[in-house]
Each structure stands twice: as structure tokens, then as C-alpha cells.
Amino acid sequence: MSLVRDVQQFLTEMRARLTPEEAGVTVFGGGRRVPGLRREEVAQLSGVSTAYYTRMERGNLRGVSESVLRSLARTLRMDDAETQHLFDLARAASEGTRTRRAKPRPVRLPQRAAQLIDTMSDVPAIALSSLGDVLAANALGRALFPHLFPDEGQPLNHTRYLFRDERARDFYVDWERDAHHVLSALRLVAGRDPSDPALMALVGELATHSPEFRTWWAGHTVTVHAAGTKAIRHPVVGELTVAYETLTLGSAPDVQIVTYLADPGTPSADALALLRSWIATTRPSVQDENSSPLSPPAP
């Protein structure tokens, strides 16, 4: 990945999506050769020179002050996720001379968090790293997402499964929307730590093997989806819609615990209840998998 190219793509996209009317810029007739705002208009609204903004949009955010970054975010109507991404890119640019880490940083799930997931026996719960590695899951979480947990071997990386496993396109009813959400979240991770070897390897692999990933990654959309709904076609209980909530851990900021619920009194709630009965009667051993590869490594 190229930090310069990421900055270029991000700022160009932010500028292109905002019309002069939305930004309060008066247009005096004549055709406009570029969509959205011009560079000089962004510069004027942000209180910097055109040359300075042009330098930023060409990928050089090194040394840009916080006040200029906040002014630029306001001008381009960035939301919280986009503003954070801009600051992450600027920080990465300023730290560019540091030596890149030679090894991926291990992501560990605190033991008490693993115990918490196991106690949530009535709610599907899965712990994921920021790259989509499955770190832990309770019995109902494993049953709700069976493709991620093969009978033999380690759990699948959810991001890789989404873009490279054909089963995902049938499992997720709105696969394109859900894939967009995961990719945009990965963009935020890339802004925070673009030199992470594991991140670079995953992005490179998916860009090589998934045309959708390659196209959407170039679009540089960043969003946070901490809550929402997913419609899935489950191989055992059929189609259901679940609401998800993402819990973050203060002791492990790179880990997210995702829980899933169905609205009471709905067919989806009945399907989830059927899934509970299924794992209790058909697959009782699934509840004894705490010693499986899903268990967190010893501290």
C-alpha cells in the first residue's frame, strides 16, 4: 500500500462528492471541468493557500497542523469516521521515517473477555480482530456462522471468507452491502497503521483475487458500522435477520466482540430459538469446544 496514494484518493474523493452549492460557493456560469469543488475553493474555505492544499492532496500531510486538518474536515463535510481517518493518515505521514515492524503484532483476547463470551450462552457472540481473525466464539456464535468454523483446522478469517469464499455470497442476503461495510472498516484500520505487515498481506491478497475488493478499495470509502442488521440464509434454520452490536474492549482495542439478536415475536426470533434447540440436541458437543483453537492463547 502507498500512503501517498491513499491520501490522494481520499482527499480527491472527499472534494469530488461535495457540490459548490452544498459548500456555499457561488458559481458564476460557465462549465466546470471537475466534479464537486475545485482545489482553490477547498483551499479558500479551509483558510489555506491553494499551493498548500494542492500539496496535501498530492499526498503530503507531513507536518500539517491539527487546526488545518480540522478546518479541512469541516470544509469537506467529513463525518466522525472520515475525520479520524484524515488524522490517522496525517499521523502516519509524520511517522513515515520510523522503521516498519518486521513481524505482525499479535492480537490477544483477554481471558476474562473469553469467559464473558462463554457466559453469554443465549446470545450468539464472536470476538474478531480488526482484520477479521476469529479469536473466540460461544456455541451459538459458532452455530450461527458455521462456515467460519470448519470441523478441521483453524477458524476462517471473516474478511477473507467474505471476499474469497463463494459460500459467503449466498449466506449473506445482501452480500454487496455487508462486504462494503467490512471493506470500509478495513480502510480505517489501514489509516491507523498502514505499515502493519498482516494488513498489507491481507489487502494484497484480496486485491489480487477479488475484483470487487480491488475496485471498492480504490474508492477509499471509510465508515463505522458498530450496529445494524444482517440478513443471512442459514443452512439449518433458513433465512433470518439479526441485529448486531459491536462491543469494544478498553484492555484490547484491536478486538471487537459482536453480539447478535433477533426482534422478539418475529420469524427470525423463531429461527434463532430453533438454532438454540439444534445445538442443544443435535450437536451437544459444540458446547464443549472451549479447548478448541478458538480458545485464547495463554498469557
Side-chain angles (χ1 to χ4, degrees), residues 251-266:
S251 58
D254 289 337
V255 176
Q256 295 179 329
I257 297 176
V258 189
T259 62
Y260 302 87
L261 291 171
D263 290 336
T266 63

Side-chain angles (χ1 to χ4, degrees), residues 6-7 9-15 17-18 61 69-70 72-91 184-185 187-189 191-192 219-225:
D6 285 349
V7 174
Q9 292 175 342
F10 180 59
L11 291 182
T12 300
E13 182 172 302
M14 294 295 100
R15 176 167 62 88
R17 73 176 183 178
L18 191 63
L61 292 179
L69 292 174
R70 293 203 178 279
L72 182 58
R74 286 193 298 269
T75 295
L76 296 177
R77 307 288 180 86
M78 294 184 187
D79 60 23
D80 290 344
E82 291 160 348
T83 300
Q84 184 59 55
H85 188 58
L86 175 64
F87 273 79
D88 288 338
L89 291 172
R91 177 185 52 78
S184 62
R187 261 296 180 192
L188 287 171
V189 177
R192 290 195 299 269
H220 216 114
T221 300
V222 291
T223 52
V224 173
H225 298 280

